[in-house]
Amino acid sequence: MNAPHKARKRFGQHFLSDQSIIEAIVDEIAPKPGQFVVEIGPGLAALTQPLVERLGQLTVVELDRDLAVRLRAHPQLTVIESDVLKVDFRALAASRPEPMRVVGNLPYNISTPILFHLLGVADVVQDQHFMLQKEVIDRMVGRPCTADYSRLSVMLQWRYEMANVLFVPPESFDPPPRVDSAIVRMVPLAKPPLLDAKLLEELVQVAFSMRRKLLRHSLGRWLEARGFAGQFDLQRRAEEVPVAEYVALAQACEAEAGQTR
């Protein structure tokens, strides 16, 4: 597993090589023997090896065929050779009695689609620890009335408690990426608001589609087209509306739609 492997640009591969950073990441994850942990994109096993040493067994999802072959040689790894966006994480969670934890160094080119893919199974996940581009994590944990607050902030914060727990500089990788990285901890809320996630996603996407303009130009028209009769202050920009208000609006729209059926 230590033979040279050239990073592939099309897979967005940047391999962790800084031992002190690796140890700090594993400490943040705090794996315990017997836990069910799934690692996305194990690559050259820099994080995989210290994880499996603490866990005893680890399931990994790897798209790169050459890396998957190497990983299968490890007796303590269960290897799923697949595009992570095609993995049925609900079925994976159901395959073991222990709660499922998910970790990984996510490919920067598809990090957001992976986060949305996992959003749909948050109810069967104990927690998630991901290495991502720092600017993506800044958006994930962004607060209203800031430049970082975005569609991603709203769509993840309604379902997770999140924290940026560790900074990872470019020189921690081989090859070094051109961006700073960080580790985010995502813990699904035990009692999330009940709502139609697809409706919230559509609503938030419309709201942030004209970020610089007042919501009456975007969300106002969307609500009007739906015949929404409730109250909502549209004399604000999308970034000024807290997550709780977007959630409440989605719930109100869903309730109205239910009454008119």
Side-chain angles (χ1 to χ4, degrees):
M1 290 182 56
N2 295 321
H5 176 89
K6 191 172 182 182
R8 296 183 181 177
K9 203 170 186 178
R10 67 192 175 101
F11 293 150
Q13 289 175 340
H14 294 277
F15 300 116
L16 259 181
S17 54
D18 185 322
Q19 204 56 43
S20 63
I21 288 287
I22 291 166
E23 288 170 11
I25 295 169
V26 175
D27 286 343
E28 288 294 344
I29 297 168
K32 303 286 190 298
Q35 287 182 332
F36 178 34
V37 177
V38 179
E39 183 187 6
I40 296 170
L44 295 178
L47 195 57
T48 310
Q49 189 55 38
L51 282 174
V52 83
E53 283 171 10
R54 295 204 200 182
L55 291 162
Q57 190 70 33
L58 178 65
T59 297
V60 298
V61 179
E62 178 55 64
L63 175 61
D64 188 317
R65 187 181 303 162
D66 294 343
L67 291 176
V69 168
R70 292 165 177 247
L71 292 161
R72 281 198 192 92
H74 196 303
Q76 294 165 288
L77 298 182
T78 300
V79 181
I80 299 170
E81 186 182 330
S82 172
D83 177 344
V84 66
L85 298 176
K86 294 177 181 175
V87 174
D88 185 343
F89 281 93
R90 189 168 297 280
L92 198 54
S95 71
R96 291 272 296 270
E98 309 88 358
M100 182 170 70
R101 307 183 69 195
V102 187
V103 304
N105 175 9
L106 300 191
Y108 292 170
N109 52 350
I110 58 162
S111 58
T112 301
I114 293 172
L115 291 170
F116 275 91
H117 183 52
L118 287 163
L119 179 60
V121 294
D123 57 307
V124 295
V125 172
Q126 178 179 317
D127 61 14
Q128 300 176 164
H129 290 81
F130 294 133
M131 183 175 331
L132 292 157
Q133 215 167 312
K134 183 182 175 292
E135 68 175 45
V136 173
I137 294 179
D138 288 342
R139 295 208 316 272
M140 290 166 70
V141 303
R143 294 299 172 199
C145 300
T146 67
D148 289 324
Y149 191 63
S150 64
R151 167 178 168 256
L152 191 62
S153 315
V154 179
M155 288 308 300
L156 295 179
Q157 287 177 32
W158 84 266
R159 194 63 186 84
Y160 301 94
E161 191 70 48
M162 292 183 295
N164 180 343
V165 295
L166 187 69
F167 175 72
V168 184
E171 54 270 23
S172 303
F173 299 88
D174 183 23
R178 294 178 182 174
V179 294
D180 289 331
S181 304
I183 302 294
V184 65
R185 177 180 292 122
M186 307 173 69
V187 181
L189 298 176
K191 293 184 178 177
L194 292 173
L195 53 73
D196 179 340
K198 289 291 181 191
L199 179 64
L200 177 67
E201 187 173 355
E202 183 182 342
L203 184 160
V204 172
Q205 191 161 10
V206 170
F208 281 92
S209 66
M210 301 171 76
R211 188 184 178 105
R212 295 175 186 272
K213 294 191 175 182
L214 296 178
L215 285 170
R216 60 188 170 86
H217 297 289
S218 54
L219 191 56
R221 290 173 183 171
W222 184 84
L223 290 169
E224 192 179 327
R226 292 180 65 91
F228 180 68
Q231 295 294 311
F232 191 79
D233 180 8
L234 295 165
Q235 295 302 114
R236 298 177 287 178
R237 291 180 175 82
E239 66 187 38
E240 297 176 297
V241 180
V243 174
E245 284 194 46
Y246 280 118
V247 166
L249 181 59
Q251 290 170 326
C253 288
E254 190 177 356
E256 272 197 12
Q259 288 169 6
T260 57
R261 281 183 195 133

